[in-house]
Amino acid sequence: MKIAIAQMRPQKGNILQNIEKHKALISLAVSGQANAIFFPELSVTGYEPELAKDLATDKYDRRFDDFQHISDKHLITIGVGVPMKSISGILISMIIFQPNRSRQTYSKQKLHVDEFPYFVGGREQVLLTLDDIKIAPAICYESLQIEHAEQANELGADVYLASVAKSQNGISKATSHYPHLAKTYSMSVLMANCIGPCDNFESVGQTAVWNNQGNIVDQLNDTEEGILIYDVTTKTIMKKQYLDVSDN
C-alpha cells in the first residue's frame, strides 16, 4: 500500500486553478503507482476563513467530477480539502474520492478558537480501509490534540493522516508532537502541509512522514510543491518529487 501526500501552493479562492494544480500533483502520484493521495487543509480554496462562506460547496459539486474520473481510471483514492455547507454551518472538510464508489467526507471535529466565527465542527471520525490498511484523517488543529489520536488508535488506525495549513510555529509544534503520536500508538503519521499565504500567516510546507516508531522517514522543503509516496508495509519512501515549475 503506497500513500502519497501532496504539498501545494493554493491560489486564494481560485477553485478552478487549484483543481488543475491538484490534477498535476495527482499525476505525479499515479506515475509513482500510489494507491492514494491526500492534500492539505482546504486545498481547493486555500485556507481562507473569511472567504469560506462564499466558497463553500458540497461533495457533489460538478467541478470535482474530474477527481472521480481520475480515481476510477487509475484506481487511486483522492482526498482534497474543501469548505462544505451543512445545516449547522460551514465545515472544514476532506472530500474523498474512491474508485467506482460514492464520494464520502470527513469534517474537522476540533476547531481552533480562531475558527469559531467561520466554521462548525464535524461530528464523527471517518476510518478509510485500503488494502487492509486503516487510515484515520485528521485536519490541522485537531491533529495536535492527543484525544483525537487516541480515538484513531481505538478504531484500529494504522496510519494517522494529518491534512494541515501550518505556519512555522505550527510546524514546530507538529514536528514535536507527531513523532510522539507515532511511537505511542504505533501508527505511521503522514502530514500534508501547504506553502504560501494563508489567511493572516505564511504556510511553510515541510510535508513529512514519520514511521510507527516515531522516526522521520522523509520531508519536503518549505518552498516547492511536490509529493512524497510512502510504502506503509515497508515503511520507506518510494518516491519524492517536486512539481516542475513549468507545470505551474
Side-chain angles (χ1 to χ4, degrees), residues 45-76:
T45 61
Y47 182 83
E48 301 292 344
E50 293 184 358
L51 301 182
K53 184 177 181 180
D54 292 333
L55 296 174
T57 183
D58 60 63
K59 64 181 177 180
Y60 300 110
D61 191 320
R62 295 299 302 272
R63 292 173 293 183
F64 304 151
D65 286 356
D66 279 354
F67 293 141
Q68 188 64 59
H69 297 327
I70 294 168
S71 175
D72 295 343
K73 179 179 179 179
H74 296 287
L75 303 179
I76 185 171

Side-chain angles (χ1 to χ4, degrees), residues 35-229:
N35 304 100
I37 181 170
F38 297 95
F39 285 84
E41 181 180 24
L42 296 179
S43 57
V44 169
T45 61
Y47 182 83
E48 301 292 344
E50 293 184 358
L51 301 182
K53 184 177 181 180
D54 292 333
L55 296 174
T57 183
D58 60 63
K59 64 181 177 180
Y60 300 110
D61 191 320
R62 295 299 302 272
R63 292 173 293 183
F64 304 151
D65 286 356
D66 279 354
F67 293 141
Q68 188 64 59
H69 297 327
I70 294 168
S71 175
D72 295 343
K73 179 179 179 179
H74 296 287
L75 303 179
I76 185 171
T77 293
I78 301 167
V80 306
V82 179
M84 208 169 70
K85 298 175 183 176
S86 75
I87 294 174
S88 56
I90 307 302
L91 299 160
I92 298 176
S93 298
M94 176 186 290
I95 302 179
I96 302 160
F97 303 84
Q98 293 185 273
N100 304 303
R101 293 181 61 182
S102 298
R103 301 171 192 181
Q104 62 177 308
T105 61
Y106 171 68
S107 298
K108 187 176 187 176
Q109 299 173 81
K110 299 180 183 297
L111 302 178
H112 188 273
V113 63
D114 291 346
E115 296 172 327
F116 291 166
Y118 309 102
F119 302 106
V120 296
R123 297 189 175 181
E124 61 181 335
Q125 183 63 44
V126 166
L127 196 69
L128 301 174
T129 302
L130 306 178
D131 290 350
D132 297 323
I133 299 296
K134 295 180 179 179
I135 304 168
I139 300 179
C140 210
Y141 175 74
E142 66 186 5
S143 69
L144 297 179
Q145 312 310 305
I146 192 70
E147 62 269 21
H148 190 271
E150 286 177 351
Q151 181 188 29
N153 179 63
E154 289 170 1
L155 292 172
D158 303 295
V159 173
Y160 192 64
L161 191 286
S163 170
V164 308
K166 289 192 180 297
S167 65
Q168 186 56 60
N169 181 56
I171 286 294
S172 296
K173 293 177 181 178
T175 54
S176 173
H177 183 69
Y178 293 156
H180 170 72
L181 291 187
K183 186 174 182 179
T184 300
Y185 300 115
S186 192
M187 299 186 295
S188 293
V189 177
L190 284 60
M191 177 193 72
N193 193 22
C194 53
I195 52 176
C198 292
D199 190 27
N200 58 359
F201 65 92
E202 191 84 6
S203 192
V204 295
Q206 301 173 58
T207 291
V209 173
W210 292 264
N211 64 23
N212 62 345
Q213 295 180 328
N215 300 316
I216 192 164
V217 182
D218 211 337
Q219 187 171 39
L220 297 179
N221 64 27
D222 60 357
T223 58
E224 296 178 86
E225 298 170 297
I227 63 166
L228 291 173
I229 300 179

